Amino acid sequence: RKNEFELKFIQTQLKEHFIYNTLDSIHWIANQHKVPQISEIIFSLSHFFRLTLNSGKEMVTVSEAKEILSCYLSLINIRMDHMIDFQIDVESGLEDEHVVKYLFQPVVENAFQHGIRARESGRIRVSMTREGNRKIRYLVEDNGIGMTAERLQTVRYAILHHTAQNDYEDCFALINIDRQLKMYFGYDYSFEIESKLGVGTQVTLIFPIGERGAVKYAENDHH
């Protein structure tokens, strides 16, 4: 079993290096042929992969989480003809703290897919601030199409009960986020969503900084 794990790890590393080297080659060719848009896409995509794959590590610094979001938003902004105005703010002193990397990008992706995309332009604001002792508040706001009160109630129900009524596609990503939060932190987190039709949506996650929360829950789960 140990040899099998090691082999899979080596195979994963080879795949990552192959991806990076291929993207770097495309980036070089695009620069040589003076195609800046392709060069920009490849550079952002390569940087995004390096940060998100991260040799299989579950934790990243807050600064790296910000870079992941910046790369992701840059990539979709190219697709949208730079019609998205985005801003990512991190509270001073929080940059070197470690957080679970999987929780950030899906919230921003949801803001784009179900808020901004239908309008073909818009604004996304992201902030990461300290919350009390050893927690982070992650806030994503958009001025997209928003939701009716009825739809918001359905989405909140889906997040709470991990079941999607009326087959709303946007519920699945949010349910997955809540499942991950619960897996890492038990019930030591909060997940709130506010929205108004024609105004936009605001999603707030609050969860522990560092490995302590995730490790503590994992240990309790084994017992």
Side-chain angles (χ1 to χ4, degrees):
R1 179 62 62 87
K2 182 174 180 291
N3 289 337
E4 183 184 338
F5 284 147
E6 287 177 350
L7 180 60
K8 285 183 178 178
F9 178 76
I10 292 168
Q11 288 172 340
T12 301
Q13 296 303 301
L14 289 172
K15 287 176 185 176
E16 286 184 26
H17 284 298
F18 177 76
I19 290 170
Y20 300 151
N21 291 337
T22 303
L23 291 174
D24 285 344
S25 296
I26 298 170
H27 177 61
W28 181 82
I29 292 168
N31 277 333
Q32 289 294 308
H33 290 271
K34 295 180 169 49
V35 190
Q37 191 175 39
I38 293 176
S39 180
E40 183 184 355
I41 292 170
I42 294 301
F43 179 79
S44 294
L45 186 60
S46 178
H47 197 45
F48 177 79
F49 276 143
R50 286 180 192 276
L51 289 165
T52 52
L53 293 175
N54 195 24
S55 300
K57 294 177 183 176
E58 296 181 351
M59 310 295 291
V60 294
T61 64
V62 171
S63 179
E64 287 171 331
K66 179 182 178 180
E67 284 188 73
I68 290 170
L69 294 179
S70 182
C71 288
Y72 174 75
L73 285 166
S74 295
L75 284 166
I76 63 172
N77 216 5
I78 292 167
R79 287 168 49 197
M80 296 289 289
D81 248 352
H82 296 279
M83 295 300 289
I84 302 174
D85 171 27
F86 70 87
Q87 182 176 324
I88 306 169
D89 296 317
V90 174
E91 182 179 325
S92 179
L94 196 58
E95 298 90 347
D96 295 329
E97 295 285 3
H98 283 77
V99 286
V100 177
K101 72 179 177 184
Y102 306 113
L103 303 171
F104 297 92
Q105 184 257 336
V107 183
V108 172
E109 183 175 357
N110 221 55
F112 166 68
Q113 292 287 356
H114 304 287
I116 301 296
R117 192 173 188 177
R119 283 191 165 179
E120 299 184 348
S121 67
R123 183 181 68 251
I124 296 177
R125 294 287 180 266
V126 179
S127 67
M128 304 181 201
T129 56
R130 289 190 183 275
E131 178 72 16
N133 185 27
R134 302 299 297 166
K135 284 190 179 181
I136 185 171
R137 174 187 288 269
Y138 176 55
L139 175 65
V140 178
E141 300 174 282
D142 69 71
N143 67 340
I145 59 174
M147 291 181 265
T148 63
E150 180 184 7
R151 185 173 181 180
L152 177 60
Q153 184 177 357
T154 299
V155 171
R156 284 172 171 168
Y157 181 91
I159 294 169
L160 183 63
H161 298 282
H162 292 185
T163 179
Q165 295 178 328
N166 301 329
D167 202 30
Y168 279 132
E169 288 184 10
D170 57 339
C171 292
F172 294 108
L174 297 171
I175 289 170
N176 190 43
I177 293 167
D178 192 72
R179 281 176 175 154
Q180 290 183 68
L181 284 162
K182 199 169 261 81
M183 180 178 72
Y184 282 106
F185 307 114
Y187 292 93
D188 189 20
Y189 73 92
S190 67
F191 185 176
E192 298 175 359
I193 180 167
E194 300 287 342
S195 189
K196 187 175 290 188
L197 188 64
V199 176
T201 302
Q202 175 179 300
V203 175
T204 306
L205 307 182
I206 300 174
F207 55 90
I209 292 170
E211 300 181 20
R212 186 174 300 173
V215 171
K216 182 179 178 183
Y217 178 65
E219 288 174 350
N220 289 340
D221 190 47
H222 284 306
H223 292 310

